[in-house]
């Protein structure tokens, strides 16, 4: 059975989509086609969308699921006319909060993902720049300014995790690749000299060698770099280094970048500079 879910917003749609995906992920037996419809900020756009939802209901033979964060009451009234199972996030939660706080909501569009305070916005941008500047072992002389330094073999997820930590939490994350250049004369992986003064900031990433080989094969097919033997050796050496140096680490094979980042923050006790958008 296939159902269609619409995530509707008069802003970016990020809140509706994030909550909607989290809720619908609990129903693994149902195939759900998810559509995000942002900036439904006029009556004409709302009416056009209602027509799309009506056509979808006819095509699917089932009423769509409608999850919205529409603020404007007139636009919400138009959306209510669409055939579907509706989850109105704002009306569900804001009314009880107004009663509890004894205050009225501003019902402003885009408050969650607006720039807001300039200092918070600039800190976010600076954190992203730091992650980009310190990607893949670049500028190790800046590691004294890092909140966290991710280490791991090539293609285990260091770069996307660093950027997510920066963008979502304002954490200045650098990342350093563990390679054969860091091995001693006996072929044993050693902690790189650039990382020794910053051991307390290190966090390791590992990955299933089969998954690593598949990822590397897309980049360099039929190469030593992507061979199973090479991937197994690199992962085993990296994990051995983590255990020897007491570096906390996480297996990225089955975790999303959001889960990896949140687990890191929980385990390290890092303070988020701001809440995720």
């Amino acid at each position: 059975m296939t159902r269609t879910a619409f995530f509707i917003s008069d802003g970016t749609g990020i809140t509706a989509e994030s909550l909607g995906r989290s809720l619908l992920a609990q129903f693994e037996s149902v195939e759900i086609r998810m559509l995000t419809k942002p900036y439904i900020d006029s009556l004409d756009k709302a009416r056009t969308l209602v027509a799309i939802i009506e056509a979808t209901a006819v095509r699917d033979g089932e009423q769509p699921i409608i999850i919205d964060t529409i603020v404007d009451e007139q636009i919400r009234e138009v959306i209510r006319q669409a055939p579907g199972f509706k989850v109105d996030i704002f009306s569900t939660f804001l009314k009880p909060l107004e009663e509890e706080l004894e205050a009225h909501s501003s019902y402003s569009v885009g408050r969650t993902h607006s720039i807001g305070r300039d200092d918070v916005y600039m800190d976010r941008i600076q954190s992203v720049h730091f992650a980009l500047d310190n990607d893949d072992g670049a500028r190790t002389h800046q590691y004294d300014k890092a909140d966290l330094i991710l280490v791991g073999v090539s293609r285990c997820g260091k770069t996307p995790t660093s950027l997510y930590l920066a963008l979502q939490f304002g954490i200045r994350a650098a990342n350093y690749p563990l390679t054969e250049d860091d091995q001693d004369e006996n072929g044993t992986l050693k902690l790189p000299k650039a990382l020794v003064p910053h051991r307390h900031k290190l966090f390791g990433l590992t990955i299933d060698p089969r998954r690593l080989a598949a990822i590397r094969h897309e980049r360099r097919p039929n190469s030593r770099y992507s061979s199973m033997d090479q991937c197994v050796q690199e992962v085993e050496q990296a994990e051995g280094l983590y255990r020897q140096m007491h570096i906390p680490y996480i297996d990225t094979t089955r975790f999303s970048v959001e889960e990896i980042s949140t687990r890191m923050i929980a385990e390290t006790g890092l303070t988020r500079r701001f809440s995720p958008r």
Side-chain angles (χ1 to χ4, degrees):
M1 180 175 63
T2 301
R3 299 286 293 272
T4 301
F6 287 89
F7 307 133
I8 305 171
S9 174
D10 39 17
T12 63
I14 294 173
T15 300
E17 180 176 351
S18 298
L19 181 57
R21 286 183 178 275
S22 295
L23 292 172
L24 295 173
Q26 307 304 314
F27 302 92
E28 298 179 0
S29 62
V30 182
E31 182 179 346
I32 300 178
R33 176 171 173 257
M34 302 182 191
L35 301 174
T36 301
K37 300 294 182 180
Y39 300 113
I40 305 300
D41 51 9
S42 70
L43 293 177
D44 285 343
K45 289 181 180 179
R47 295 186 186 106
T48 299
L49 180 57
V50 167
I52 293 172
I53 295 173
E54 290 173 344
T56 301
V58 172
R59 183 199 65 200
D60 292 351
E62 296 281 355
Q63 64 175 354
I65 298 162
I66 301 170
I67 298 176
D68 80 82
T69 54
I70 298 291
V71 172
D72 185 277
E73 182 58 39
Q74 288 184 307
I75 296 176
R76 284 164 61 191
E77 186 58 39
V78 173
I79 298 297
R80 287 193 191 103
Q81 298 170 15
F85 177 82
K86 301 175 183 67
V87 180
D88 185 337
I89 295 173
F90 279 174
S91 66
T92 300
F93 296 109
L94 281 182
K95 288 297 183 183
L97 278 172
E98 285 180 334
E99 294 175 5
E100 175 63 25
L101 298 174
E102 297 181 350
H104 290 290
S105 163
S106 63
Y107 288 90
S108 300
V109 177
R111 295 281 294 181
T112 306
H113 302 283
S114 62
I115 289 178
R117 289 168 45 197
D118 287 341
D119 58 337
V120 173
Y121 179 74
M122 290 309 299
D123 198 51
R124 179 192 301 273
I125 298 301
Q126 290 166 7
S127 297
V128 172
H129 282 314
F130 184 88
L132 292 171
D133 286 343
N134 290 275
D135 183 42
D136 215 24
R139 295 181 172 84
T140 56
H141 63 279
Q142 294 185 2
Y143 282 3
D144 59 320
K145 300 176 183 177
D147 298 316
L148 190 67
I149 303 170
L150 308 186
V151 294
V153 301
S154 172
R155 312 304 289 179
C156 70
K158 299 184 301 300
T159 297
T161 303
S162 298
L163 288 171
Y164 186 86
L165 286 165
L167 183 62
Q168 292 296 312
F169 304 115
I171 290 173
R172 287 170 172 76
N175 73 78
Y176 188 99
L178 299 175
T179 68
E180 292 178 339
D181 293 338
D182 301 311
Q183 295 176 354
D184 62 17
E185 61 275 8
N186 298 317
T188 302
L189 186 65
K190 296 296 184 182
L191 189 67
K193 291 182 179 179
L195 301 180
V196 172
H198 309 288
R199 279 181 56 181
H200 62 291
K201 297 181 180 181
L202 302 182
F203 202 105
L205 299 184
T206 188
I207 188 172
D208 184 278
R210 290 167 296 183
R211 174 62 177 156
L212 180 63
I215 294 172
R216 289 183 173 184
H217 183 76
E218 293 179 1
R219 189 176 188 184
R220 298 182 195 170
N222 304 317
S223 64
R224 176 171 174 267
Y225 171 76
S226 63
S227 70
M228 180 60 70
D229 288 344
Q230 180 68 17
C231 292
V232 168
Q233 179 185 358
E234 289 186 33
V235 169
E236 287 181 349
Q237 288 209 341
E239 292 182 0
L241 178 67
Y242 302 153
R243 290 189 291 267
Q244 177 189 352
M245 305 302 296
H246 304 289
I247 299 171
Y249 67 96
I250 186 172
D251 188 333
T252 65
T253 308
R254 295 177 180 83
F255 289 132
S256 66
V257 67
E258 295 89 347
E259 291 174 299
I260 295 166
S261 301
T262 304
R263 286 171 181 268
M264 280 184 178
I265 292 174
E267 189 162 339
T268 61
L270 280 172
T271 300
R272 309 179 184 191
R273 285 194 173 86
F274 41 75
S275 299
R277 308 300 279 179

